[in-house]
Amino acid sequence: LKSALKKELCIPFYQKLQYENHLNNLRFSISLKKKMIKEIVIGMLLSEKSYNNPLGKCWDVIIDRPLGSTHPTFKETIYPINYGYIPGIIAGDGEEQDAYVVGISYPISAIHGKCIAIVHRKNDNEDKWIIAPLNMIITKQEIQDSIYFQEQYFDIEMEYL
């Protein structure tokens, strides 16, 4: 439980600690306190990190195609940005939600960032989330330029924060 509470999320850590400290002052068993804390944190996460509206929310992204890597099927396609997925969020294709990471010019393996845009593919069954480092401003044009290498093959519409 402590590792879950310590995990860096957009919900302020002090807010989680307020709930934990309040519950620790009550006369419940340790296992019941842990269960209550877990339920509070999960409730906060579900209300704060809605899959239906990911824009402006913070997400962890695992990078499986770092900048400079080749596409697994189309070997001539080189990734000019980091690309990965959001663990635990299932997209329209039945796989974990795909995400482009913008604003970082070197290969990475993971990031905790903010969803600043969504690419809706009109002729495909999934959307792509655009994740940027926290507190970084990226223009709509910069996003479009960054993802053109892949999205040029699709009819897209972009929702921007």
Side-chain angles (χ1 to χ4, degrees):
L1 178 63
K2 283 188 178 181
S3 64
L5 286 173
K6 287 181 182 177
K7 188 174 181 183
E8 183 63 33
L9 296 167
C10 281
I11 299 170
F13 183 66
Y14 69 85
Q15 191 175 0
K16 290 176 218 149
L17 288 178
Q18 286 175 341
Y19 288 108
E20 184 176 22
N21 289 337
H22 177 69
L23 288 173
N24 282 337
N25 291 331
L26 300 176
R27 294 179 185 221
F28 295 117
S29 69
I30 292 173
S31 63
L32 182 57
K33 286 180 187 177
K34 286 182 178 181
K35 182 179 179 189
M36 292 169 75
I37 292 168
K38 184 177 180 181
E39 287 177 9
I40 289 168
V41 171
I42 288 171
M44 291 168 68
L45 292 176
L46 290 176
S47 65
E48 184 69 21
K49 298 178 84 164
S50 170
Y51 170 74
N52 295 324
N53 185 14
L55 283 173
K57 307 293 188 287
C58 295
W59 302 91
D60 291 321
V61 180
I62 305 299
I63 304 300
D64 56 0
R65 298 178 197 167
L67 186 148
S69 63
T70 59
H71 190 281
T73 306
F74 306 103
K75 301 293 184 193
E76 68 282 355
T77 301
I78 308 293
Y79 281 79
I81 61 175
N82 293 288
Y83 180 84
Y85 61 92
I86 313 286
I89 301 295
I90 304 303
D93 63 353
E95 299 292 327
E96 289 179 299
Q97 178 62 53
D98 293 329
Y100 292 109
V101 176
V102 296
I104 298 178
S105 58
Y106 51 89
I108 59 174
S109 59
I111 185 173
H112 180 75
K114 183 189 285 188
C115 182
I116 61 167
I118 302 170
V119 174
H120 300 285
R121 289 181 170 177
K122 297 177 187 177
N123 55 343
D124 196 13
N125 63 351
E126 64 177 319
D127 295 334
K128 305 291 183 182
W129 294 2
I130 309 298
I131 305 293
L134 301 177
N135 302 318
M136 182 177 278
I137 297 171
I138 311 280
T139 67
K140 189 172 184 176
Q141 187 60 54
E142 288 172 319
I143 293 170
Q144 290 171 335
D145 293 345
S146 296
I147 64 174
Y148 179 77
F149 79 101
Q150 184 69 39
E151 297 305 318
Q152 66 181 315
Y153 304 109
F154 298 93
D155 182 15
I156 65 168
E157 180 178 286
M158 189 163 60
E159 188 177 352
Y160 184 72
L161 184 61

